Amino acid sequence: MRFLGVALAAGLQLPTAALANHGSQKPLGDDLSSSQGHKGGKQPNIVFILTDDQDLHMNSLDYVPLIKKHLLDKGTLYKRHYCTTAICCPARVSLLTGQQAHNTNVTDVNPPHGGYPKFIRQGLNNAYLPVWLQEAGYNTYYTGKLFNAHTVENYNSPYPAGWNGSDFLLDPYTYNYFNSSFQRNQDPPKSYEGFHSVDVLAEKSLGFVDEAVRANGPFFLGIAPVAPHSNVESNILGDDNDQDWDKLPDIEEFAKFGPPVPAKRHEHLFKDVKIPRTPNFNPDQPTGANWVRLRKKLNQENIDYNDHFYRQRLRTLQSVDELVASVVERLAQHGVLDNTYIFYTTDNGYHISQHRLNPGKECGFEEDINIPLIIRGPGVAKGEVSEIVTTHVDLAPTILSIAGVPHRADFDGEAIPLNQKDIDRTVATRHEHVTVEFWGFAVSEGGKLFDKDEERLTLNNTYKALRIIGKDYNFYYSVWCNNEHELYDLSTDPYQINNLLHPTATKPKTLLGAGFHKVIARLDSLLFVLKSCKGRTCIRPWEALHPQGNVANLHDALSKRFDIFYEHQPKKVSYNRCELGYIVDAEGPQFEKDGAVFTAEAAEYKRNGISWSEWT
């Protein structure tokens, strides 16, 4: 394997200057001083911090006091923020393009279905956020992990477009905390072996803040630490366009997984902390569907290891905590903090022991898809928690809106309201749903497998799902590629223990005052629209089913006048077969071809509606 250059240790200032002010981490509530600068320029600056695999439901935000001080207390937490595909590369591409993975067709972390080479082949290198921001007059910078399969060999074929300055983490060293490789602008990659990856990133981030301010224009800065992702030592580049996962050797032969590795100064922290023992933690009875429901209960040795894995995640996040504080303070020193929006989120969530699952993501459970989003900036309410539904495909529209760029017709999301007045105003009209989708496999990322029958990689983890949250309802509905179904009523079952559509489940007679089967019919029809939607239809899917505009939410759709229409839909969500990527002829019926719409005219002569293709 070709490797292009080594960084001189003397050239790296570690730890960062900001760390000298903070010292070691302290409990939440520690009052650390900071000053804020003055507004400058008409267009605000934007700093976007993207962690890797950070959870919300295992309380990671309770262990980052500097993020609390600088972001949570100074901004708004969007507690119902969701990723749309719970794995790194597809989530990041959706975030930067404002499109669902079924529209980007980047659905995996490696070729042929994903990774940086697929991003390039899909023509997205000239159609994503930094390119649009540059067109709007912004200087753009990025450091850290961009995409998977962005490697020490393909980094320049071509270079990622749209960046005035960049310093990317590269595979196969991305997840190796003490052996990272960065590639700056159009220079060859450099190795930072022996230095903690997040500390290296912190120095680079501060350098880009300085550079952006010197450029004397509005700027966007993306900062993407690898923490708290598992540590992975890999000997594969993952950029072979012809290689498919079912043809690869055993995963154990090319990737060694283990807990994340903290900086030395954080190794001693949280020694007695354990994973929250929620009702779905290693439950006595199996949960879920498909392969998840076949999981055995974890033994005590496995649980002890998972608790250690959890502590290591919290420890690695301390470096991110310090990074955030140093960036905020550098912005203040330059006098630009008051005119800067700071976003803090992650690509996807994470589970450890919930539903008997070992460390990993890729599932549709809340642990994997409901993730942190914090925004601070001009006009953003301080110390508030918003319950509006937001998703990753809403972030590019939001950032472009801040930059004064009109909404793009190909966006599958809409701008997030940032001040309290706009949040209150849009509660009744904003979308209430999340389109969740996944293709391929699930990986157990713990360093050790404790059951002789357990496999590191599980295939047929392909599914489409709908998350819908409105007044008096809170549902997750999914269809797997083996055509098993799930439904959870999170109003009464917040930990998703009771799958109401499992054959052994006791089904309620009614939901929301309507017959159980009537609610299922509406949810399936909505998912039928969303699983292949584009643009506005992804944002306002009820309009596709009811083009007269008289249905805006699930409550409206449950009107008795629509019963026959929904119960006699010609097609339901189903798969023809399981695939590792988005292949349309495997995806079953498509709404654009097979769906039906309700119109007043159709109600007179054909009570179950007319076809979507006929209507359009």
Side-chain angles (χ1 to χ4, degrees):
M1 183 181 300
R2 182 161 50 93
F3 192 60
L4 304 174
V6 178
L8 296 176
L12 185 64
Q13 302 174 22
L14 296 173
T16 66
L19 301 188
N21 295 329
H22 298 313
S24 59
Q25 292 298 88
K26 300 178 181 179
L28 285 174
D30 184 58
D31 187 16
L32 301 174
S33 62
S34 68
S35 60
Q36 296 189 357
H38 303 283
K39 289 184 179 181
K42 294 182 179 180
Q43 288 176 294
N45 309 307
I46 302 159
V47 174
F48 192 92
I49 302 168
L50 181 67
T51 61
D52 202 320
D53 292 359
Q54 186 172 353
D55 66 273
L56 179 66
H57 286 259
M58 292 186 291
N59 304 330
S60 68
L61 291 180
D62 289 349
Y63 295 89
V64 282
L66 305 178
I67 289 172
K68 180 181 187 301
K69 171 185 172 63
H70 292 291
L71 301 184
L72 285 165
D73 291 349
K74 300 290 186 179
T76 295
L77 170 67
Y78 293 80
K79 66 176 292 186
R80 287 179 170 167
H81 183 75
Y82 289 84
C83 67
T84 52
T85 305
I87 194 170
C88 309
C89 190
R92 289 162 183 258
V93 173
S94 288
L95 190 157
L96 290 170
T97 62
Q99 295 184 339
Q100 293 281 154
H102 68 256
N103 288 326
T104 67
N105 205 3
V106 178
T107 62
D108 197 353
V109 295
N110 281 299
H113 301 297
Y116 182 59
K118 184 65 180 290
F119 173 83
I120 297 298
R121 292 203 310 274
Q122 289 298 112
L124 298 173
N125 199 30
N126 293 309
Y128 74 130
L129 185 62
V131 174
W132 301 324
L133 285 170
Q134 285 185 337
E135 291 172 352
Y138 273 70
N139 296 318
T140 57
Y141 307 89
Y142 194 99
T143 183
K145 174 184 169 183
L146 184 63
F147 302 129
N148 300 83
H150 185 207
T151 76
V152 295
E153 293 197 351
N154 71 8
Y155 67 91
N156 58 354
S157 56
Y159 291 103
W163 303 108
N164 294 75
S166 61
D167 212 332
F168 298 117
L169 261 172
L170 297 179
D171 281 352
Y173 307 99
T174 300
Y175 302 127
N176 196 326
Y177 280 86
F178 277 96
N179 188 20
S180 60
S181 171
F182 283 80
Q183 184 270 317
R184 184 175 182 84
N185 297 329
Q186 296 194 3
D187 296 340
K190 292 184 178 181
S191 170
Y192 291 87
E193 185 174 3
F195 296 101
H196 195 268
S197 170
V198 182
D199 287 341
V200 176
L201 181 74
E203 280 296 316
K204 294 178 181 295
S205 301
L206 297 177
F208 276 133
V209 172
D210 296 342
E211 183 177 335
V213 172
R214 286 196 302 269
N216 196 30
F219 63 84
F220 173 92
L221 169 59
I223 302 171
V226 72
H229 194 285
S230 58
N231 192 78
V232 184
E233 298 177 11
S234 176
N235 58 21
I236 186 172
L237 286 170
D239 58 355
D240 185 345
N241 293 346
D242 298 321
Q243 187 66 285
D244 210 337
W245 276 96
D246 59 355
K247 299 175 184 177
L248 286 174
D250 190 312
I251 192 171
E252 303 286 357
E253 296 180 15
F254 61 84
K256 180 181 178 182
F257 291 86
V261 182
K264 297 293 184 183
R265 63 188 179 277
H266 303 137
E267 288 179 338
H268 65 288
L269 299 174
F270 314 126
K271 63 180 181 178
D272 297 321
V273 171
K274 295 183 178 181
I275 304 164
R277 275 13 184 205
T278 51
N280 60 1
F281 178 92
N282 197 29
D284 291 335
Q285 299 300 319
T287 60
N290 197 357
W291 63 270
V292 177
R293 201 167 186 95
L294 303 178
R295 296 280 306 168
K296 296 179 182 178
K297 193 170 183 183
L298 306 177
N299 63 37
Q300 190 58 51
E301 183 184 11
N302 198 159
I303 291 172
D304 291 343
Y305 177 84
N306 286 355
D307 280 330
H308 167 69
F309 196 106
Y310 175 68
R311 288 189 288 270
Q312 291 292 88
R313 284 171 55 85
L314 298 180
R315 290 162 180 157
T316 60
L317 278 172
Q318 304 315 297
S319 295
V320 177
D321 200 35
E322 295 165 347
L323 182 158
V324 169
S326 67
V327 168
V328 171
E329 291 175 1
R330 186 63 59 90
L331 292 167
Q333 290 167 12
H334 284 295
V336 298
L337 179 61
D338 285 352
N339 195 39
T340 300
Y341 287 92
I342 302 176
F343 289 69
Y344 182 96
T345 188
T346 190
D347 45 10
N348 49 260
Y350 211 72
H351 57 248
I352 311 177
S353 303
Q354 296 81 22
H355 305 282
R356 303 180 176 180
L357 296 166
N358 275 316
K361 56 256 186 184
E362 297 119 5
C363 294
F365 295 120
E366 290 291 277
E367 287 79 11
D368 292 13
I369 62 174
N370 183 205
I371 54 180
L373 173 64
I374 311 166
I375 305 175
R376 74 166 279 179
V380 178
K382 297 181 179 180
E384 293 294 325
V385 177
S386 172
E387 297 200 6
I388 62 172
V389 176
T390 63
T391 77
H392 268 0
V393 295
D394 294 330
L395 289 172
T398 305
I399 291 168
L400 289 186
S401 177
I402 290 171
V405 178
H407 183 89
R408 294 175 57 90
D410 59 354
F411 277 157
D412 298 335
E414 62 181 341
I416 299 168
L418 298 179
N419 61 62
Q420 196 61 51
K421 181 179 179 180
D422 287 344
I423 290 173
D424 294 340
R425 179 174 54 83
T426 59
V427 165
T429 59
R430 187 173 174 80
H431 68 76
E432 61 179 7
H433 67 277
V434 183
T435 306
V436 182
E437 47 194 1
F438 201 91
W439 297 263
F441 59 90
V443 177
S444 176
E445 296 184 12
K448 181 179 178 181
L449 300 178
F450 291 85
D451 188 298
K452 62 181 178 61
D453 297 323
E454 183 171 4
E455 296 183 353
R456 176 77 63 188
L457 187 149
T458 302
L459 298 178
N460 294 339
N461 188 52
T462 296
Y463 57 86
K464 296 279 189 176
L466 164 69
R467 189 73 178 85
I468 185 166
I469 306 169
K471 184 179 180 181
D472 304 324
Y473 52 85
N474 191 351
F475 296 122
Y476 175 89
Y477 173 74
S478 74
V479 180
W480 291 75
C481 65
N482 66 353
N483 292 315
E484 290 188 42
H485 289 62
E486 286 177 290
L487 174 67
Y488 302 100
D489 181 355
L490 281 83
S491 296
T492 59
D493 180 23
Y495 296 98
Q496 296 171 286
I497 292 172
N498 183 21
N499 174 12
L500 296 173
L501 293 179
H502 190 266
T504 63
T506 301
K507 298 174 177 60
K509 292 183 179 180
T510 62
L511 285 174
L512 304 178
F516 180 76
H517 68 285
K518 296 179 187 291
V519 176
I520 300 301
R522 269 70 167 182
L523 295 177
D524 192 84
S525 294
L526 188 62
L527 181 57
F528 193 29
V529 173
L530 291 169
K531 79 187 192 81
S532 58
C533 66
K534 295 181 185 297
R536 181 178 173 86
T537 301
C538 298
I539 305 167
R540 300 286 181 261
W542 292 112
E543 291 180 0
L545 293 163
H546 298 271
Q548 290 179 299
N550 56 349
V551 172
N553 53 51
L554 180 58
H555 272 307
D556 293 344
L558 283 170
S559 170
K560 292 181 179 179
R561 64 188 290 236
F562 304 131
D563 282 353
I564 293 177
F565 168 69
Y566 279 107
E567 292 171 35
H568 293 85
Q569 281 284 315
K571 299 290 184 180
K572 306 291 185 183
V573 178
S574 65
Y575 284 84
N576 294 331
R577 65 184 184 277
C578 295
E579 286 284 356
L580 292 174
Y582 181 55
I583 299 172
V584 175
D585 68 9
E587 299 270 320
Q590 301 291 296
F591 179 76
E592 294 77 10
K593 176 184 177 182
D594 304 304
V597 303
F598 185 95
T599 68
E601 180 184 19
E604 292 180 6
Y605 75 89
K606 192 175 181 183
R607 298 186 69 192
N608 62 331
I610 63 175
S611 70
W612 171 256
S613 58
E614 182 182 355
W615 171 254
T616 56

